[in-house]
Amino acid sequence: MQPIEIIVIIACVLIVGGVIATSIINKKKGKNSCGCDCANCSSCSVCKNKKENNEK
């Protein structure tokens, strides 16, 4: 393997690790996964499902 291949592999692993770490940190902070930081907005599928379940 050439050095450039090793650098690319390490960069890819760091990017994937960063995404996973960010999602875990956001989950522990209580943020939702829709990314809109909404308070039960109608355009968010996550919040929309919560509203429908609460109305039943």
Side-chain angles (χ1 to χ4, degrees), residues 32 40 44-56:
N32 57 17
N40 296 324
C44 178
S45 62
V46 175
C47 298
K48 188 175 184 181
N49 290 336
K50 287 180 185 176
K51 283 183 183 178
E52 290 174 357
N53 288 338
N54 289 339
E55 290 176 357
K56 290 181 180 179

Side-chain angles (χ1 to χ4, degrees), residues 12-30:
C12 290
V13 169
L14 290 175
I15 291 171
V16 170
V19 169
I20 292 171
T22 302
S23 67
I24 290 171
I25 290 169
N26 285 341
K27 190 171 189 176
K28 288 192 180 240
K29 286 183 178 179

Side-chain angles (χ1 to χ4, degrees), residues 2-21:
Q2 295 180 358
I4 190 73
E5 293 172 336
I6 294 171
I7 292 170
V8 169
I9 290 171
I10 291 172
C12 290
V13 169
L14 290 175
I15 291 171
V16 170
V19 169
I20 292 171

